[in-house]
Amino acid sequence: MSSTDQNPDRLYSAREPIFPRRVSGKFRSLKWWLLAICLGIYYLLPWVRWDRGPNLPDQAVLIDLANRRFFFFWIEIWPHEFYFVAGLLIMAGLGLFLFTSALGRVWCGYFCPQTVWTDLFILVERWVEGDRNKRVRLWNARWGATKWRLRLTKWGLWLAIAVATGGAWVFYFADAPTLLWNLITFQAHAVAYSTILVLTLTTFILGGFMREQVCVYMCPWPRIQAAMMDEDTITIGYREWRGEPRGKHRKAEGAERLGDCIDCNACVNVCPMGIDIRDGQQLACITCGLCIDACDEVMDKVGKPRGLVDYMALSDEARERAGNRPKSIWKHVFRVRTILYTALWSAVGIGLLVALFVRSDIDMTVAPVRNPIFVTMSDGSIRNTYDVRVRNMHGDERAFRLTVTPDEAYAISVEGSEDGTFTVPPDATLLKRVYIVAPAGSPPANATTSDVRIWLEDPAAAERTYDDTVFNGKGMK
């Protein structure tokens, strides 16, 4: 066997662990604030109370799968109103396109859950094992009592965060205090425990061990975002025309020809993705801004102006090379593409708001009973049967009445009700069997089909709604 057969070329290189160095600066501070806000909302929101009345849950944000209901503070979404959820998803997509087009991968660098939890896990890792150099030495050290102690401590804290993450998620789907007690006393449903287990493992593995691999290999957005960006997009870059040729020996012969970059690799050492921003735009870059903080700190020390690594637009390169000032950031942000995304995003949002405020608190759906299509009564009149589902979205019980138009051609009756009225419990649906009769010899009785409109009325609140259907006559034979 040849040496080539014994050592075949590898298709993939082994992962090189990344040990980001601690850095301080405006972008690192911004990320800490956003991390605290995002985690605070995620962990605390299920515990916020909101009084909706005696017959409704008092959890501010609740996805009530059992009753097929979604509560968000004063808003209640029913199953037939799923278009609100679809609209919010469309707004989220358009918002992602808008921010990416204007500011690059700002979502990935500051708000993505993978970024937020990875930042938290790295913070724990640095607190337990020390900064970059200590972590590198620990990684290369043999397994001994010290290494096991530090590793187990770190993994234990990671696991606690992961359990809290999975636990917080299930609280959005049930009353949080009740579910917490049931979880502690082992009375919760198996689905709750299995969900926590799955989310605990995924958080522990993705945030602790896979980190940048999730962004590079698992997430599709790095490959999509290129279509959202152009030369006017504000993104992180290296001013190569100012930094090159780079060099460390500033007092050696020829130092006057060197650029501002002293090749200290500070930008590389702080990068959570392990890339060198000086190599240009890269798929792995999440534009978190930490390399900017690191480079600005070095520039301050060597007496050079900040901004060697900075947020910039590629369209400004020629202008800056010539010594001119770049275009205003507002000219980069407000252009045809971003204005179009903003207009679409606003249109969907306004449409959802209008639909939310004009929707009725009562609703119904009418389904004709097809077996039989119609019934001929003893007096020759024709009767059709319908299943009417009435929704009472009020917080109290309501009495309803059904009518039909054109009323001169039909008579309507409700099964189990002598006068055609019935009550629906608060925040509930009720299915009623309804009969519509056309007199013998009338046009609807002799026709094949006739249009008919069934009205639902709430006399106490003066609310009305309707649903259109058809009446089948003898012409169907």
Side-chain angles (χ1 to χ4, degrees), residues 257-307:
R257 295 192 300 271
L258 296 178
D260 287 352
C261 179
I262 64 172
D263 203 19
C264 62
N265 283 332
C267 57
V268 180
N269 293 336
V270 301
C271 179
M273 304 299 291
I275 65 171
D276 189 341
I277 192 63
R278 297 171 296 179
D279 293 337
Q281 297 297 309
Q282 299 163 67
L283 178 145
C285 179
I286 59 174
T287 67
C288 62
L290 299 184
C291 54
I292 300 176
D293 287 337
C295 185
D296 285 348
E297 185 178 4
V298 173
M299 291 295 102
D300 290 342
K301 292 179 180 179
V302 299
K304 298 289 185 179
R306 292 184 166 205

Side-chain angles (χ1 to χ4, degrees), residues 64-95:
D64 189 356
L65 295 179
N67 296 306
R68 295 184 297 173
R69 218 71 54 82
F70 171 59
F71 299 93
F72 184 82
F73 293 92
W74 65 91
I75 300 173
E76 179 181 357
I77 304 299
W78 288 59
H80 70 286
E81 297 175 320
F82 187 79
Y83 55 86
F84 283 112
V85 178
L88 289 175
L89 293 176
I90 293 173
M91 287 187 67
L94 290 174

